[in-house]
Amino acid sequence: MTAAIPAEADWDRAPGLLEGAMDLELTAADCNLRYWLQAVPQGTLRGRPDGHDPALEVGPHMLRGPFFEAITQEYAFRALAEEKATRVLSYLVPIAPDTDSMEFYATQVLDECRHAMVFRNHLLSLGIPRERLARAVEEFAAPHQDTVLAPLERRSLEIMRDRRDFIGGVVMMTIILEGALAPAAELSERKWRPLDPAAAEIDKGAGIDEIRHLTVGAAIARQYLLDRPREKDRVIELIHDGMRMWEELPTHDMVHWREVKFQEGLDRHGDLVGDYEIWPGRRLVDTTPEERQDTAERWSDEMKAKRLKYMGLAEALA
Ligand code: FE
Ligand code: FE
């Protein structure tokens, strides 16, 4: 007999990323190693070892021109970001204060490693030859390597590896890094859906994992601070530092470039998306780069406010 797959990890029943991250409550005890073994390899990932239905193929409109430029730059960036997350996050495993959180972070390391793999390998479907793959990832992501990825990596290593600061690492991951990137991932899934359904499935699968990372990370932070209220000021300080750092990074320009390229593709291949609605009542063909980006940024603010309140860190919003 096979065990039932929990709804939040089930391909067909899971909520969307933003909804799940804001409305669900999952703890490290809920999402320990045993949970993961049944819910993820035998649930979410079943039949999708590459992150998508193997029958889905990439259409010719994706293989050159603006859609190609937009998606290769986006996916290479995300592959590298996920790879760095894998390496950095592994430092949380040895300093996790109890078995449940140790097991949870071990599973998250594997999740991030898998995300790096599926984003990277999608470049193969987009026509990059396998022997050039590693170099292509570096090249496509190059504009944002030193300006975005390196400073985030440096700060994370400082907290998790050098200072061995468990709660600092949890907060850095769940609020600054994953919290800030989740809305961009949701936007990606929605906008690629009619154009590159394999990419949209990769996003959707990663989004299902992300619901778990965000909710459990928040639950760990919440409980940690309930047990150690004197750490709260220090954590708020860390969040402010992280937010300030995020503000100074050129991520807005990076996302804007992608949306402008996407728009060029849309102008050329609008017939392919028809009346597809990116969100209820709004056709993708009628949106602009600014509108899509503003919407993702608004989601980001809403999500941050709600999650910080849940963690008992509403003061960090001031
Ligand atoms: Fe990830
Ligand atoms: Fe994650």
Side-chain angles (χ1 to χ4, degrees):
M1 204 186 95
T2 50
I5 297 159
E8 70 275 5
D10 184 277
W11 191 268
D12 299 310
R13 291 181 298 151
L17 170 52
L18 298 179
E19 208 189 314
M22 290 203 282
D23 299 340
L24 285 179
E25 186 167 9
L26 292 167
T27 66
D30 297 325
C31 298
N32 57 15
L33 182 56
R34 192 170 189 286
Y35 166 99
W36 186 89
L37 289 169
Q38 290 186 334
V40 183
Q42 300 179 49
T44 318
L45 295 178
R46 200 170 174 163
R48 290 182 175 85
D50 296 308
H52 60 81
D53 181 339
L56 292 172
E57 279 171 18
V58 174
H61 58 280
M62 294 301 301
L63 301 180
R64 62 195 67 85
F67 282 147
F68 176 83
E69 290 178 64
I71 200 162
T72 47
Q73 190 160 128
E74 177 186 346
Y75 271 43
F77 174 84
R78 292 173 71 189
L80 267 195
E82 299 279 4
E83 180 182 326
K84 288 185 187 302
T86 308
R87 293 174 188 271
V88 170
L89 203 58
S90 65
Y91 289 106
L92 281 189
V93 178
I95 57 173
D98 53 66
T99 306
D100 287 328
S101 57
M102 187 270 293
E103 289 190 356
F104 170 74
Y105 280 110
T107 68
Q108 189 176 341
V109 166
L110 216 55
D111 288 337
E112 306 304 3
C113 193
R114 192 160 38 74
H115 297 165
M117 174 188 79
V118 292
F119 286 127
R120 189 193 314 119
N121 285 350
H122 192 56
L123 300 180
L124 299 173
S125 312
L126 290 159
I128 306 299
R130 188 174 287 278
E131 61 282 5
R132 276 203 64 237
L133 185 59
R135 254 227 338 266
V137 170
E138 297 288 339
E139 284 168 14
F140 289 130
H144 311 112
Q145 161 63 31
D146 295 343
T147 51
V148 179
L149 289 170
L152 290 172
E153 181 181 32
R154 252 193 323 269
R155 175 72 59 93
S156 307
L157 283 172
E158 212 177 276
I159 296 172
M160 295 181 225
R161 182 191 62 191
D162 305 342
R163 284 193 241 144
R164 297 174 63 86
D165 177 359
F166 177 73
I167 189 63
V170 170
V171 161
M172 181 74 185
M173 260 330 269
T174 200
I175 299 174
I176 310 300
L177 302 174
E178 301 195 291
L181 288 171
E186 169 99 16
L187 175 64
S188 186
E189 180 187 341
R190 289 172 185 242
K191 76 180 202 217
W192 291 118
R193 172 78 52 202
L195 293 159
D196 184 345
E201 286 212 348
I202 288 173
D203 279 322
K204 177 178 167 164
I208 291 176
D209 296 328
E210 210 47 47
I211 292 174
R212 186 169 61 251
H213 301 167
L214 290 168
T215 52
V216 174
I220 290 175
R222 179 177 186 273
Q223 192 57 47
Y224 189 99
L225 292 170
L226 284 174
D227 296 342
R228 301 165 188 79
R230 288 168 56 196
E231 291 246 42
K232 204 163 146 178
D233 289 345
R234 182 178 80 81
V235 168
I236 288 176
E237 200 42 53
L238 255 167
I239 295 172
H240 283 160
D241 277 357
M243 286 177 176
R244 220 172 297 133
M245 177 181 192
W246 190 266
E247 290 296 313
E248 286 163 8
L249 298 175
T251 49
H252 185 91
D253 296 345
M254 173 178 84
V255 174
H256 189 70
W257 184 91
R258 283 181 200 164
E259 290 306 325
V260 168
K261 282 287 157 198
F262 184 84
Q263 194 69 32
E264 285 173 36
L266 214 49
D267 294 343
R268 221 180 270 185
H269 301 287
D271 51 315
L272 292 172
V273 307
D275 290 329
Y276 169 81
E277 292 186 352
I278 187 165
W279 38 79
R282 189 70 178 149
R283 296 193 317 163
L284 175 57
V285 281
D286 297 331
T287 59
T288 62
E290 290 71 27
E291 177 184 356
R292 291 189 297 273
Q293 186 164 13
D294 289 350
T295 304
E297 283 171 8
R298 183 164 40 76
W299 290 338
S300 187
D301 291 342
E302 284 167 15
M303 196 170 93
K304 190 163 58 192
K306 187 153 182 195
R307 298 180 67 241
L308 281 170
K309 269 183 212 138
Y310 167 80
M311 290 178 237
L313 292 166
E315 297 102 302
L317 288 163

